Amino acid sequence: MGNEHVALNAAGVLSDLASLSNVDLRDRVGEFLSKARALSMMTWADQGETFRNLSPDIQDEFMWALSGMLDEVKAAWDQLGERKAFK
């Protein structure tokens, strides 16, 4: 499996990103950025102390989830860029 990215479209059907509408792609960027931001907020300031006290395995899995969300943002953003859909 390569760099294929799939997503649920508005109808709830699993589709590749190329088949999603520009609106669905923009929604996907917003959704995953919001989720990634929320997770990242747990890694610094007062919450960061709690994060750093987690086991190394849990910290790795947390950061892996965050990285996956950002990968999804990039894939959707790239698809929009290919369509020149930035208006």
Side-chain angles (χ1 to χ4, degrees), residues 5-46:
H5 287 271
V6 294
L8 291 177
N9 65 17
V13 177
L14 198 59
S15 307
D16 64 66
L17 289 183
S19 68
L20 295 179
S21 72
N22 289 349
V23 171
D24 286 339
L25 286 169
R26 287 183 184 131
D27 286 349
R28 189 166 177 81
V29 167
E31 173 190 346
F32 279 98
L33 278 176
S34 293
K35 288 177 179 179
R37 182 175 183 273
L39 281 180
S40 71
M41 298 293 283
M42 300 308 295
T43 64
W44 62 282
D46 292 336

Side-chain angles (χ1 to χ4, degrees), residues 42 50 58 67 79:
M42 300 308 295
T50 301
I58 298 295
S67 176
Q79 185 62 230

